[in-house]
Each structure stands twice: as C-alpha cells, then as structure tokens.
Amino acid sequence: MAFPTAAPIAGGQEVRSRLPRLKGRWEPADTQHGQGGGSARTPSVGPPPAAMGQSVLLPCLGLACSLLLLLGGSEGLGSRGENWGPQEEDQGAAAEGGPWGRARYEALKKHFGAVGALSKQYWQLLACKVWQEGCEEEQEEDESSPRPGWSLPLVGQDYLEILSAWYCSFGKCCETGDCRVVNNITGLELDLSGQLHGQHLAKEVVVRAVQGFLQSPRPEKALVLSFHGWSGTGKNFVARMVASHLYRDGLKSECVRMFISLFHFPHHNYVDSYKVQLKKQISETIQLCKQSLFIFDEAEKLHFGLLDAIKPFMARYDNKGQVDYRRSIFLFLSNIGGNTINEVALDFWRAGRAREEISLEFLEQQLRLELLEPADNGYARSHFLEENLIDFFVPFLPLEYRHVKLCARDAFLARGLPYTEAALDEVARMMVFVPKEEKLFSAQGCKSVSQRINYFLP
C-alpha cells in the first residue's frame, strides 16, 4: 500500500508560514465565530460600508501606499539590463522612429509586464495574509507558470512582515500568529469534562500537559504523550478532540498528520522506505506549521525501526538543524498496558475504593514495567523509555455500566433523537461485561454504542 506523501511546499510558502494569518475586516456581523471557530472567513466584495468611515479608508490607503513601497523596495527599474536592452540599440531605434521607436516600445512593454507581474505577486501574497483568500490559487500558479521579470525579493518579504504587523493595529489578527492554530484550551477542558466519561486521569493529564506546553515560551523538546488502555475507552476520541481544539480545521488541518500503523506501514519488509518517507513528511509538516500535531494510532504495532527514525524529532533540541521541532506535539495511542490498568481498577473496586482515588503516579509505575516486558514491543526495542522521550503516560480506565449509559445518551443527543432511561439501559445491556464473576467492565468500552442505538430507531 502506497505511503501518503505530504503536499509539496510551493514558492512563498515559507514566507506565509512566518507571517501572521489575518482575518477579513469587512465581514457582516453574522459571519463571526466563537472561540475555536471552524471555517475561514471570507471578506465581502466591493467597498466597505459607509459606516466604517475613515477607520476603514485609512488602512486601505495604507495598504496601497505600502504596496508601492514594496515595489520601490525591490530592484530598481533600471537594474535589470536585459529588460531594457543596450543603450546603443535604443539610440538607433530612436533615430529611426523617434523616441517611441519599435525597439524601445518592445523593451518598455516587457518591462511594464514584469512590474505588473511583481505587483500581482505582492498583492496575492498580501491578500492571502490579510484576508485569507487566493492562497490556493497562488500556490497552483507558482507551480504551473513562472512569472516574468523579477522574483519576490527578500527586502519585499521584510516589508510584508512590517505591513502585516501594521495592519493588525486596524483589523483583527489571530492571537497565535497563525490562523490555522486556535489553541482553545478552555473549550478542550469543557468538552473533555462533558463528553469523556470515566477518565478522570486522562482529563487532568491531557489538559495540564497541553496547556503547560503551549504556555512555555521556549520548550526544551516536543511534547510527547502516550495513551494506554483497552479499545473503546476514549484514546482516539481524546486525540481527535485535541486536534479540533488546537487547530481550526481539526484533523483536516495541514498542521495535523495522523498515522495508523497497519494502514500506513503494513509491511515490515519496507521499513527502510517507510522511515525515509515518514521523516520527510514530518519535516515538511513542521516547516509548513511551526506548531504541528502528529498522531500515531495502534502504536504498539509500529516497527521499532520507525520509532527510532522519529526519535530525533522528539529529543531535546540541539540547535544544529535548520528546523525547530520543539513546538510539535506527538500522541501515541496504544492498547499495551490495558490489562495492567484494568487489574488496578478491579483491585480498587474489590477494596471498596472509588476509581477516582487511583493516582497517576501509581499507574505510571505499573505501565513502565509492562512496556519493558514484551520482546516484540516497539517501545522496548526502540529505547523510548530509557531515553525519557515520553513526557506523560496517560492511562484510560475500563468503563463501567454507568459510563456506557452516558455514552448511549451522548449518541442519542448527537443525532437529535429523544431517549428514555429504559432505552439507555437496553443499550448498556447489549454490551459484554468482564470479568465473568463481577461483570464490571465493558469489554468494548463505548466503541459500538453509536451503532447499537440504530436498534431503537423507528
């Protein structure tokens, strides 16, 4: 199965990743979104409303003047001799046909074509930064047809950075500096509290770890979280929720990459090829987005060679490379450790103690011991634990009958369907519970609950 490759980085993409993404100023009130809103905003076409007055006219005039400065800051009009031709030819043409001889006319036409192309290039990049429109078209145009005349000079890029910062004083700018990134920690905490059931440790660890990492001005390394627990306990659900609250487009964001072991890396015979492509895609994603998120599902099935290949991205930054990986987040989702976590939860239940009394420190010690035992475990063979690359082990406890009922309630609400307590009990009773004596924990967690409510549909 072919390994997916990242989209190529078109010309000017590096510039765009460093500039703050700016939102449209002239939008109607009904297009505003709340914190962590989804889609990009599209500015209205045409002149701004009259009520905006001089507050809108001023930045518009400033943008036009700044665009002229950009052109003026690039290479001089006469700095490219090939556009004008030798002076002797101009004099000869002038002698034959006057000041507007054929040779001078052609040279002037070519020169103004180059100026127009450069102006269009500046304007497209500026519109992409300020109003978020025309970005994809510009990328396709960059790949398909080179522009005549000048390329985008470095001094022009500096002017664009100054112009972007200046525009922020008039319009709305993204707080993160990149409108693809929203970092809605408040929303993440609220949704985890309301939709993730029976996982007090996961809620606390994920929110604190992500929040502390994002608030750190200069983290020493990328954030690495390892989720452990039985299938259906919420590992994938939390990973998707992290993506949706940190990035505007969630899992569809170009800053997020999700890998499923058996889907993306099915054949161990091709590990060397996988390693090259995986490292390339991670590097390109980080170059495209300074704050990137990488999710590895079924991490216990990853070949240890692949884990070795991505270790440099998670290690402490040595400042030797050109790309800074310290703002990246890595999530590993694994079923390893599920039995150990379940045994601890069962012991607490038998002792008459609440599951909320289970501490992270106690479970983390048990998880480390189990992760080091199996010989075919990629974690052990890649020396992930010895090198302390994993910042937090996040345990997901087994779900009880009451938690399954809450999952069933959420499934009904998600479809806008009415429900009764009897219906929730019926869905929960359809699940298989273990161990045989106590029948305490759902063997499938909440994984098939949303499908089972179809039984109650008319």
Side-chain angles (χ1 to χ4, degrees), residues 114-128:
V115 173
L118 182 60
S119 301
K120 181 180 179 182
Q121 186 177 3
Y122 274 126
W123 180 254
Q124 285 181 337
L125 184 57
L126 184 63
C128 179

Side-chain angles (χ1 to χ4, degrees), residues 19-194:
L19 298 181
R21 304 296 298 262
L22 308 177
K23 299 181 179 180
R25 177 179 177 83
W26 303 328
E27 296 176 300
D30 57 355
T31 62
Q32 301 296 327
H33 299 281
Q35 188 175 16
S39 59
R41 301 174 181 174
T42 304
S44 58
V45 180
M52 300 297 292
Q54 295 182 352
S55 63
V56 174
L57 182 60
L58 180 58
C60 293
L61 293 176
L63 287 175
C65 296
S66 300
L67 186 60
L68 294 177
L69 288 176
L70 290 175
L71 292 175
S74 59
E75 302 177 51
L77 294 177
S79 61
R80 294 292 295 267
E82 64 272 18
N83 285 338
W84 282 98
Q87 185 177 1
E88 291 77 12
E89 294 182 7
D90 290 347
Q91 292 177 352
E96 293 178 3
W100 294 101
R102 183 67 181 175
R104 179 176 292 276
Y105 171 77
E106 292 295 338
L108 189 62
K109 179 180 178 182
K110 181 178 180 181
H111 183 71
F112 276 115
V115 173
L118 182 60
S119 301
K120 181 180 179 182
Q121 186 177 3
Y122 274 126
W123 180 254
Q124 285 181 337
L125 184 57
L126 184 63
C128 179
K129 297 297 105 181
V130 176
W131 297 295
Q132 297 184 13
E133 63 178 7
C135 301
E136 296 180 358
E137 291 78 358
E138 179 193 2
Q139 179 177 348
E140 294 176 357
E141 188 173 344
D142 285 338
E143 296 174 356
S144 59
S145 58
R147 309 182 195 286
W150 301 295
S151 60
L152 193 64
L154 291 177
V155 64
Q157 298 175 13
D158 295 335
Y159 276 137
L160 279 177
E161 293 184 5
I162 298 174
L163 179 58
S164 298
W166 170 83
Y167 183 82
C168 287
S169 63
F170 297 96
K172 288 185 177 180
C173 297
C174 299
E175 295 181 0
T176 61
D178 187 341
C179 287
R180 299 169 298 184
V181 180
V182 294
N183 290 344
N184 183 7
I185 299 298
T186 302
L188 175 62
E189 185 174 9
L190 290 175
D191 282 351
L192 287 178
S193 298

Side-chain angles (χ1 to χ4, degrees), residues 342-451:
N342 294 353
E343 286 294 336
V344 172
L346 184 60
D347 290 341
F348 268 69
W349 180 83
R350 287 172 175 170
R353 302 175 63 183
R355 60 192 283 142
E356 286 75 20
E357 297 181 28
I358 301 176
S359 66
L360 177 64
E361 293 75 16
F362 179 75
L363 270 180
E364 184 173 359
Q365 294 176 1
Q366 303 296 322
L367 282 174
R368 284 182 175 272
L369 292 176
E370 183 171 346
L371 290 174
L372 290 173
E373 284 181 1
D376 58 347
N377 179 11
Y379 281 85
R381 299 184 63 181
S382 64
H383 305 289
F384 253 41
L385 304 181
E386 290 86 345
E387 299 181 21
N388 295 317
L389 296 179
I390 299 177
D391 298 299
F392 294 95
F393 292 92
V394 185
F396 284 75
L397 303 177
L399 299 182
E400 301 176 6
Y401 184 91
R402 55 192 172 101
H403 303 131
V404 176
K405 287 184 61 177
L406 292 175
C407 292
R409 181 204 63 185
D410 293 345
F412 277 105
L413 293 176
R415 297 193 185 185
L417 300 174
Y419 65 89
T420 62
E421 285 296 322
L424 299 184
D425 283 321
E426 186 66 24
V427 172
R429 283 194 292 267
M430 290 181 177
M431 311 297 289
V432 177
F433 288 85
V434 294
K436 293 182 179 179
E437 296 78 13
E438 291 85 355
K439 296 188 179 300
L440 181 61
F441 304 132
S442 172
Q444 299 171 290
C446 285
K447 199 161 191 176
S448 61
V449 167
S450 59
Q451 287 77 26

